[in-house]
Amino acid sequence: MAETGPKEPTVVPLKRHPCPMCGRPAVARFRPFCSRRCADLDLGHWLNEDYRVPSDEEFDPEEEPPEGGEEA
Ligand SMILES: [Zn+2]
């Protein structure tokens, strides 16, 4: 039986998604990001979004100041 020689193991190439933060090729260690910096950036975004609760009902009208020059 003669083997076909040193055959490279069939490696299924993982889909290399670009870093969602900067678009660079992602690194396995920091998937799906390219670096820890980008991972931290994304984490910050998540935390921020988690912090502020979207309130559609409780809208503060004082957010928009009335146009100046309004006489009583
Ligand atoms: Zn990145």
Side-chain angles (χ1 to χ4, degrees):
M1 281 289 192
E3 293 185 28
T4 34
K7 201 175 183 180
E8 290 185 34
T10 313
V11 176
V12 180
L14 294 171
K15 283 187 181 179
R16 292 229 163 180
H17 291 281
C19 173
M21 298 306 290
C22 69
R24 286 184 181 182
V27 176
R29 186 175 176 183
F30 300 109
R31 276 192 315 173
F33 306 100
C34 72
S35 62
R36 199 190 161 195
R37 178 163 294 218
C38 283
D40 281 347
L41 280 174
D42 189 69
L43 183 67
H45 278 271
W46 275 99
L47 288 177
N48 276 336
E49 283 189 35
D50 199 34
Y51 225 81
R52 50 176 290 185
V53 181
S55 50
D56 274 328
E57 293 179 41
E58 287 191 72
F59 178 74
D60 205 337
E62 287 186 354
E63 280 275 311
E64 286 188 34
E67 292 184 17
E70 206 174 298
E71 290 184 51

